[in-house]
Amino acid sequence: MDYVVVKWLHILSATFLFGTGVGSAFYKYVIDRGGNIAAIAQVSVWVVRADWLFTTPTVIFQPLSGLYLVWLLGIPIDTPWVMWSLILYALAGACWLPVVVLQIRMRDLALTAWQQHEELPALYWRYARIWFWLGVPAFTMLVMVFYLMVAKPV
């Protein structure tokens, strides 16, 4: 496949990955603070869907397209910026996987509370704290990967 096409798809995919992550995190965090259980339940449903529709495919595509671009350019895989990109991406992914599980559990807890006209259980808020604090390093690491992709420092 042509380098320009793969690079464009790689950048587009990175944009979807980062944009969906930041957007979902923002809406989920803000709606949780509002305390409206119906809104929390609905936003949680859409956050989980967004992860399946946008984040999951891009999480898979990013390393594949990135490695293909590196190969097309003849850049050794052990080049420091390439290695650090892969390491940081893997660490961000290690934060993201439990976040996905937490989002599904929070969605289910919020839907149950909403349907049964109850308050959100303490477990929901515990999951929300863990979700938030896993998102901080994941976000930071992806910002660093973006820098490495653009700057390609020697």
Side-chain angles (χ1 to χ4, degrees):
M1 191 177 281
D2 179 61
Y3 171 80
V4 173
V5 172
V6 176
K7 184 175 181 178
W8 174 71
L9 290 171
H10 185 72
I11 292 168
L12 186 62
S13 172
T15 303
F16 274 101
L17 172 63
F18 196 75
T20 302
V22 170
S24 292
F26 174 77
Y27 290 117
K28 176 116 184 58
Y29 182 80
V30 169
I31 209 71
D32 277 358
R33 299 295 135 317
N36 180 326
I37 297 171
I40 291 170
Q42 290 303 305
V43 167
S44 295
V45 165
W46 285 105
V47 165
V48 170
R49 285 185 187 161
D51 255 357
W52 289 116
L53 292 171
F54 301 108
T55 310
T56 300
T58 59
V59 161
I60 295 164
F61 184 74
Q62 278 295 286
L64 297 176
S65 60
L67 288 170
Y68 185 63
L69 288 168
V70 164
W71 177 78
L72 281 176
L73 293 173
I75 298 170
I77 194 97
D78 62 351
T79 302
W81 72 266
V82 174
M83 290 301 298
W84 276 110
S85 294
L86 292 170
I87 290 166
L88 290 167
Y89 189 80
L91 290 171
C95 291
W96 177 70
L97 288 173
V99 160
V100 171
V101 172
L102 290 169
Q103 286 174 174
I104 292 168
R105 290 180 181 172
M106 286 187 290
R107 176 205 59 197
D108 294 347
L109 289 169
L111 284 170
T112 299
W114 177 42
Q115 291 164 349
Q116 296 179 0
H117 306 288
E118 297 173 351
E119 293 297 315
L120 288 168
L123 185 59
Y124 178 92
W125 299 111
R126 181 170 177 258
Y127 287 163
R129 279 190 302 280
I130 296 167
W131 172 86
F132 176 83
W133 288 111
L134 284 170
V136 170
F139 172 82
T140 304
M141 288 182 267
L142 285 180
V143 168
M144 294 166 70
V145 171
F146 264 85
Y147 170 78
L148 292 170
M149 286 190 319
V150 172
K152 298 174 181 53
V154 178

